[in-house]
Amino acid sequence: MSKRFFSILASLIVFACVVSGLAQTKSVDAEGHKWWQHAVFYEIYPRSYADSNNDGIGDLKGITSKMAYLHDLGVDAIWISPCFPSPQVDFGYDVSDYENIDPMYGTLADFDRMAAEAKQQGVRIILDFVVNHSSDQHPWFIDSKSSRTASHRDWYIWRDGKGPGQPPNNWISTFGGSAWKLDPATKQYYYHYFYAEQPDLNWRNPAVEKAMLDTTGWWYKRGVSGFRLDAVDTLFEDPKLSDNPVLPGTNKQGDPNTDEIHNKKLPEVHDVLQKLRKVADESDAVLIGETWTSNIDELKEYYGSHDNELQMPMDFMFTTVDKLSPPEFRRQIAQVDSAGGWPVFVISNHDKVRSYNRYGDGRNNDAIAKLMGAFYLTLRGTPIMYYGEEIGMENNDPRRKEDVKDPIGRTGWPKEIGRDGERTPMQWNTDTNAGFSTKDPWLPVPPSYKTHNVATESKDPDSVLNMYKKVLALRHTNEALREGSYTALNEDDDNVMSYLRSYRGKAVLVALNMSASPQKATFNLADKGFASANLKSLVATPQSSSKGIEVTLEPFGVFIAEVTK
């Protein structure tokens, strides 16, 4: 056969591969929604998810082994907390190499196998990118510290002190004490918003910016679908190093309270987010922000004035509603809907006491866990679950200072007990250590693992896990829940949280009893386009039902129904 034939054949093969690739990565639906707008995200703390080699610490092979479980649960993307090489001073949030895997979790080959299995199961990979700081063991900082003229000196923030034994200013580390550490060799201080072993990168240096942007591109080429950006608020500091105003009182570490106006949320943060977004857009990737905001105007800023910053800034204000209060939840949802961007709902994560404890009353915790799952998984927006939430995992807090692993707990004990309690191993079955590992795990599992685990709850149709599965399945298949608008209903009801998700003449009504007593709610849907409506149950707790447009709810009951004419 001629060379021309083989040339044409090769071109056709390449074209077919490109078309196939485009089909697999199609990310915009007929309504113009990006893939992440329909996805359910699930945070995995890798030390605690699944231990494949029984050394007491979770790993990437362990995550790979659970990919089918995640798919069956209804998860579309997993956000993995930092798994890069690290001295583990802050459990991976002190990175010593941004383009590798920590040996305790495996290798790059293990990552590639995990990514391949995830793709087969229809699950995307999101990595946690620590943008504010590196480890003091990163080669960049080792060189930076070597002399005042080192090539990486300006990659970090070095300054002279105010005087002998006096740091440059009054900035406080979030882990306690001054945010400045003196290097005796070069006789200058370096800045660290977090632990001293986590020196802040100097984002005003173009070389730092380029290195970090290139890192995201390197991972995108390896199959990553996005990043959760850690501590974005702290990327920049006032170059004049002005003292922060001192406020009354002290924090849990005993330091003076200060108003961090000179080292948090500076305008330059948004310039960097736009540049990170530009790189992400080239790979159809998503950026999730750790965005702690105190009002909706602050949250709006993170989307960008031209939708050119974070696609998914997390609404942590939602988590500040720490009680079952329909009026407060309505206010928060209304504010987020008014922000103009796509809402992102979270009720737990690795820094926050588990929702099972925060919302539970000590008697009806399972019922409340089901209710909260049905709640935030049926709202308009993208939810980010936290591992174990789907089985009602509870906090297992340390009781003695010597048992604390978290740095903030060690420096702040006993007022600050740390975050170990919400980071305990995933509970898979009733075997030793909840089936996580045959060796004692790095953190102990709570006694509740005997009843709250995947194996046991899978067999119980009334379990927390099966409620999550039902709601997640409905979310993925019901157009009104997937595409529809959100409308609050019965806004004067202090006990029942109810709303309508509407789409092209179709609607789903969600009614949630956030009280410990039975409730009834009647809905007038005539002005919503349903003059003679009836309710057809889709997901409900056993004693919750409807008659016409009246819903009867058991204590902490759930009723999700299709509205029919």
Side-chain angles (χ1 to χ4, degrees):
M1 295 184 183
S2 68
K3 289 183 179 179
R4 187 169 180 272
F5 173 82
F6 283 112
S7 177
I8 293 171
L9 180 62
S11 297
L12 288 172
I13 291 171
V14 169
F15 177 75
C17 289
V18 169
V19 171
S20 174
L22 288 174
Q24 289 177 3
T25 59
K26 183 181 178 183
S27 64
V28 181
D29 68 5
E31 304 299 319
H33 287 123
K34 295 280 191 177
W35 66 265
W36 46 267
Q37 291 180 290
H38 286 157
V40 173
F41 288 71
Y42 183 98
E43 181 191 356
I44 289 176
Y45 202 67
R47 295 177 70 91
S48 296
Y49 201 62
D51 178 13
S52 70
N53 61 354
N54 290 310
D55 64 355
I57 296 174
D59 45 52
L60 297 190
K61 286 183 178 178
I63 296 173
T64 304
S65 72
K66 303 300 182 182
M67 210 62 74
Y69 164 76
L70 292 163
H71 169 80
D72 292 345
L73 176 61
V75 168
D76 304 292
I78 55 173
W79 148 30
I80 304 174
S81 294
C83 53
F84 312 113
S86 166
Q88 301 294 321
V89 171
D90 191 18
F91 300 114
Y93 285 94
D94 47 321
V95 178
S96 57
D97 182 351
Y98 284 100
E99 295 181 357
N100 213 329
I101 297 297
D102 193 294
M104 76 165 59
Y105 298 131
T107 64
L108 277 173
D110 292 332
F111 175 87
D112 292 339
R113 281 189 286 271
M114 178 182 70
E117 177 64 16
K119 185 175 182 180
Q120 190 165 343
Q121 294 290 345
V123 177
R124 293 178 183 253
I125 305 289
I126 308 297
L127 292 183
D128 205 320
F129 192 32
V130 186
V131 285
N132 176 72
H133 52 269
S134 76
S135 164
D136 63 349
Q137 299 304 305
H138 196 293
W140 298 342
F141 187 75
I142 292 172
D143 178 65
S144 180
K145 191 178 179 182
S146 65
S147 78
R148 290 197 180 199
T149 59
S151 60
H152 289 86
R153 185 68 171 184
D154 195 40
W155 284 48
Y156 298 85
I157 299 162
W158 292 93
R159 295 291 189 275
D160 293 327
K162 283 184 176 179
Q166 298 180 47
N169 60 26
N170 72 341
W171 296 352
I172 300 296
S173 164
T174 197
F175 286 155
S178 173
W180 297 94
K181 182 173 180 178
L182 178 66
D183 171 44
T186 59
K187 296 182 173 57
Q188 278 192 317
Y189 289 83
Y190 69 84
Y191 174 65
H192 58 94
Y193 183 81
F194 295 93
Y195 237 38
E197 290 86 351
Q198 296 167 291
D200 276 47
L201 288 159
N202 178 16
W203 273 89
R204 297 186 188 279
N205 184 337
V208 170
E209 178 184 287
K210 182 180 186 306
M212 297 298 271
L213 294 178
D214 287 351
T215 294
T216 65
W218 188 88
W219 281 107
Y220 293 145
K221 289 175 184 175
R222 209 166 192 110
V224 168
S225 293
F227 289 94
R228 178 264 191 183
L229 303 178
D230 179 64
V232 294
D233 292 340
T234 59
L235 285 183
F236 285 90
E237 303 76 28
D238 172 15
K240 297 179 182 177
L241 303 186
S242 306
D243 278 353
N244 282 326
V246 178
L247 302 174
T250 57
N251 61 22
K252 291 179 180 180
Q253 278 77 26
D255 300 308
N257 287 322
T258 60
D259 188 1
E260 298 177 316
I261 60 173
H262 294 301
N263 60 336
K264 280 183 79 173
K265 298 186 179 179
L266 269 65
E268 295 92 330
V269 167
H270 299 283
D271 297 332
V272 168
L273 293 180
Q274 289 170 24
K275 291 173 182 177
L276 286 164
R277 172 67 179 272
K278 187 176 180 181
V279 180
D281 284 346
E282 292 171 1
S283 297
D284 189 31
V286 69
L287 296 178
I288 304 170
E290 184 189 19
T291 43
W292 296 94
T293 56
S294 56
N295 58 66
I296 207 65
D297 289 332
E298 285 185 3
L299 186 68
K300 279 183 180 180
E301 291 178 4
Y302 285 106
Y303 289 107
S305 57
H306 301 287
D307 187 28
N308 59 347
E309 294 185 30
L310 301 174
Q311 298 104 315
M312 290 176 56
M314 284 189 270
D315 175 27
F316 289 115
M317 291 179 288
F318 193 77
T319 70
T320 65
V321 184
D322 267 355
K323 59 183 178 180
L324 298 179
S325 170
E328 291 190 35
F329 279 127
R330 285 188 202 105
R331 279 194 292 272
Q332 187 55 42
I333 294 167
Q335 287 182 9
V336 173
D337 265 1
S338 72
W342 188 251
V344 181
F345 292 106
V346 182
I347 62 173
S348 292
N349 69 13
H350 64 283
D351 290 329
K352 190 86 176 168
V353 172
R354 283 190 174 275
S355 59
Y356 191 85
N357 298 82
R358 295 201 335 276
Y359 296 106
D361 63 1
R363 299 180 303 279
N364 302 284
N365 286 29
D366 279 11
I368 294 170
K370 295 173 198 173
L371 174 127
M372 288 304 297
F375 178 28
Y376 85 111
L377 294 175
T378 56
L379 291 172
R380 173 186 169 269
T382 297
I384 303 178
M385 298 169 59
Y386 184 46
Y387 80 94
E389 212 166 60
E390 74 273 22
I391 56 172
M393 273 180 63
E394 64 182 22
N395 261 53
N396 191 27
D397 298 321
R399 292 169 176 79
R400 306 178 305 166
K401 183 177 181 179
E402 52 265 41
D403 296 330
V404 178
K405 304 289 180 65
D406 183 22
I408 199 170
R410 292 201 302 270
T411 59
W413 187 273
K415 290 184 179 180
E416 173 60 74
I417 64 172
R419 300 160 293 182
D420 294 343
E422 51 263 37
R423 300 175 175 183
T424 56
M426 178 66 176
Q427 296 160 198
W428 294 105
N429 54 46
T430 57
D431 293 347
T432 304
N433 301 318
F436 167 76
S437 178
T438 57
K439 183 180 179 182
D440 286 344
W442 76 286
L443 286 175
V445 297
S448 61
Y449 86 87
K450 288 289 187 181
T451 52
H452 292 71
N453 63 74
V454 172
T456 299
E457 293 191 39
S458 294
K459 300 171 186 173
D460 178 4
D462 194 35
S463 66
V464 177
L465 177 59
N466 275 309
M467 172 60 80
Y468 266 79
K469 284 184 174 181
K470 289 173 188 174
V471 176
L472 285 167
L474 183 63
R475 179 187 176 89
H476 281 96
T477 56
N478 186 283
E479 280 189 311
L481 284 182
R482 196 170 64 248
E483 308 278 6
S485 60
Y486 163 91
T487 304
L489 300 174
N490 294 10
E491 294 183 74
D492 58 347
D493 193 327
D494 291 343
N495 295 308
V496 177
M497 178 77 197
S498 57
Y499 44 94
L500 201 66
R501 299 292 314 281
S502 308
Y503 177 74
R504 292 187 175 179
K506 299 177 181 179
V508 168
L509 183 143
V510 180
L512 308 164
N513 181 6
M514 293 189 170
S515 78
S517 58
Q519 298 291 328
K520 287 189 177 182
T522 302
F523 299 98
N524 180 3
L525 301 177
D527 60 345
K528 308 295 187 297
F530 298 92
S532 56
N534 284 294
L535 301 177
K536 178 184 176 183
S537 178
L538 297 172
V539 175
T541 45
Q543 297 174 47
S544 295
S545 60
S546 67
K547 186 175 182 181
I549 54 172
E550 182 182 79
V551 174
T552 300
L553 294 159
E554 65 200 275
F556 306 112
V558 171
F559 189 78
I560 304 172
E562 179 185 357
V563 181
T564 61
K565 295 181 180 180

